[in-house]
Amino acid sequence: MDVLPTTSFSKADRKSRSSAKSSVNSSSKPSLFLAFFSCFAWIYIAGRLWQDAENRKLLANLLQKNSNQRPKYLTVEDKLTVFGCRDLQRRIVEAEMELTLVKSQGYLQLQQSGSTSGKRLLAVIGVYTGFGSRLRRNVFRGSWMPKGDALKKLEERGVVIRFVIGRSANRGDSLDRNIDKENRTTNDFLIMDGHEEAEEELPKKAKFFFSTAVQKWDADFYVKVDDNIDIDLDALVELLESRRSQDNAYIGCMKSGEVVAEEGRPWYEPDWWKFGDEKSYFRHASGSLFILSKKFAQYININSASLKTYAYDDTSVGSWMMGLQATYIDDSRLCCSNARQDFKIYSIFVVDLMQKVC
């Protein structure tokens, strides 16, 4: 009988095969982990791509829907509307350009609230005053300045006179209350709520006065007067009447002089370096009394925010007039040194004030 061949394994062979199987099993574990991680990553990426595709599809549908709602063409009415808007825009631009030109020339028509009769006044005379000047005001009311019914009759003749004052730095304090109380009795103040009454703010007071006066009263002339001089009112009215046809008049006692560059000296000018090597002021009317035509008062009102002020109001106003087509009228009767009797303007106080005015 034939015997089938058999294979016999020694203990060493069995041991080597078992170690091979165990090494195969141990190496297959990380491979399975990597395969699982790769599948998960691909599923995640595929999900994001699918989500992005859905978002793009949704946006495309919204854009298509909006485009379908827009008109395919413009109707005649639509075209007329577009043309009308363009024409209106063009006219607005032209009107703005014209308004800018008018403002630059000082011709802006302002609503007047003080002259109820509709008749243009001859002049508005503003007498600068301060909180501590009640005695001076009483002297004025007892001399050349009318009061009570006489003041109203003068206004009927076309001349308005007011004491010009601002407000205290501490609004509503006793200084303001005293002025309000005095005004209720005399009714002869022009109180400028936007101006702070202080010595260092005096140059700005001119801007506030002319701006406020030209808005409140319609007059041919606006006159600034210090409260340390006396005036022949009838002669002043006569002067203004004779100049009524001149709508670009800048009237006063014209002067020039040295620009004081040394700080601490009287009349020191902080902006002295702007006046050149000669350090001399340009021609301007003395600050004790000067007169502006309505056109220039309007110009100051319109451009007050950009007008430069210097150390004193007379040089400040003179600098504004230099850039305009102003007719300078130097009238010697408005100078405090003049001794003529037909038109008296003289200081009623001490000599140092005389030197200040002159």
Side-chain angles (χ1 to χ4, degrees):
M1 175 180 292
D2 296 330
V3 178
L4 294 172
T6 61
T7 304
S8 61
F9 299 97
S10 64
K11 290 182 179 181
D13 293 337
R14 288 195 298 270
K15 185 176 181 180
S16 63
R17 288 190 178 186
S18 118
S19 62
K21 288 181 181 179
S22 64
S23 63
V24 169
N25 290 336
S26 63
S27 63
S28 65
K29 289 181 180 179
S31 300
L32 290 174
F33 177 76
L34 290 174
F36 176 77
F37 180 78
S38 299
C39 291
F40 180 78
W42 277 109
I43 292 172
Y44 175 77
I45 294 172
R48 289 297 303 268
L49 293 174
W50 178 82
Q51 185 65 41
D52 291 342
E54 289 295 317
N55 290 339
R56 287 195 295 271
K57 184 178 179 180
L58 179 62
L59 291 174
N61 291 335
L62 290 174
L63 291 174
Q64 182 66 28
K65 183 178 179 181
N66 291 335
S67 64
N68 292 334
Q69 292 178 353
R70 289 184 302 202
K72 300 296 183 181
Y73 57 89
L74 291 176
T75 63
V76 175
E77 289 78 8
D78 293 333
K79 292 181 180 179
L80 290 176
T81 301
V82 172
F83 292 149
C85 290
R86 290 177 180 174
D87 181 64
L88 180 60
Q89 184 179 11
R90 177 182 59 80
R91 285 187 288 174
I92 290 174
V93 172
E94 291 177 353
E96 289 177 345
M97 293 175 64
E98 292 177 359
L99 180 60
T100 301
L101 178 62
V102 167
K103 284 184 176 181
S104 67
Q105 296 175 348
Y107 289 110
L108 185 65
Q109 294 296 323
L110 303 171
Q111 181 179 3
Q112 309 297 334
S113 60
S115 180
T116 57
S117 64
K119 179 182 177 181
R120 177 177 286 192
L121 300 169
L122 173 63
V124 175
I125 302 174
V127 182
Y128 279 23
T129 190
F131 294 116
S133 300
R134 183 163 188 172
L135 176 60
R136 295 187 183 183
R137 291 193 291 272
N138 289 334
V139 171
F140 265 51
R141 295 184 184 111
S143 58
W144 66 270
M145 180 177 175
K147 56 184 178 180
D149 293 338
L151 186 63
K152 293 181 180 178
K153 290 181 179 179
L154 181 64
E155 293 178 10
E156 294 175 358
R157 292 174 51 195
V159 178
V160 171
I161 305 176
R162 293 291 186 273
F163 288 109
V164 181
I165 194 169
R167 286 298 190 182
S168 169
N170 302 313
R171 296 299 178 92
D173 62 4
S174 60
L175 297 176
D176 283 345
R177 292 195 299 270
N178 290 338
I179 291 296
D180 291 336
K181 181 180 179 181
E182 184 179 349
N183 188 39
R184 285 193 293 269
T185 303
T186 61
N187 196 28
D188 56 4
F189 277 88
L190 174 61
I191 302 174
M192 302 179 297
D193 292 324
H195 174 66
E196 180 181 326
E197 190 65 36
E199 186 68 25
E200 61 273 14
E201 298 295 326
L202 185 60
K204 297 179 182 178
K205 190 171 183 176
K207 292 200 290 188
F208 280 94
F209 165 59
F210 288 110
S211 297
T212 306
V214 80
Q215 292 181 68
K216 189 174 180 62
W217 293 286
D218 181 18
D220 289 318
F221 298 102
Y222 297 83
V223 185
K224 179 261 178 176
V225 179
D226 279 342
D227 65 353
N228 59 353
I229 60 173
D230 201 0
I231 294 177
D232 183 343
L233 183 60
D234 292 333
L236 177 60
V237 170
E238 182 181 349
L239 168 65
L240 296 175
E241 288 283 4
S242 67
R243 298 290 184 179
R244 200 162 194 171
S245 60
Q246 295 179 288
D247 62 354
N248 59 346
Y250 174 37
I251 310 173
C253 177
M254 297 297 169
K255 66 176 185 176
S256 183
E258 176 192 1
V259 178
V260 179
E262 293 78 20
E263 188 173 0
R265 284 183 55 190
W267 315 113
Y268 168 66
E269 174 58 72
D271 290 318
W272 57 267
W273 59 274
K274 294 183 178 180
F275 295 91
D277 296 335
E278 299 298 328
K279 296 185 180 62
S280 179
Y281 280 117
F282 39 76
R283 206 73 171 164
H284 62 278
S286 172
S288 57
L289 189 156
F290 57 84
I291 305 163
L292 298 182
S293 293
K294 178 183 179 180
K295 180 195 300 185
F296 299 139
Q298 287 180 321
Y299 175 83
I300 294 172
N301 176 41
I302 295 167
N303 301 281
S304 60
S306 58
L307 291 176
K308 163 70 177 175
T309 56
Y310 292 97
Y312 304 101
D313 62 341
D314 54 355
T315 53
S316 298
V317 175
S319 70
W320 307 336
M321 295 299 105
M322 285 184 65
L324 303 175
Q325 294 292 337
T327 300
Y328 283 60
I329 301 174
D330 182 13
D331 196 316
S332 61
R333 295 175 297 175
L334 302 180
C335 298
C336 59
S337 60
N338 192 287
R340 292 176 58 180
Q341 297 300 314
D342 59 338
F343 190 71
K344 298 180 296 181
I345 298 181
Y346 54 92
S347 174
I348 60 175
F349 292 95
V350 294
V351 176
D352 59 339
L353 287 177
M354 283 284 292
Q355 293 173 347
K356 177 181 177 182
V357 172
C358 298

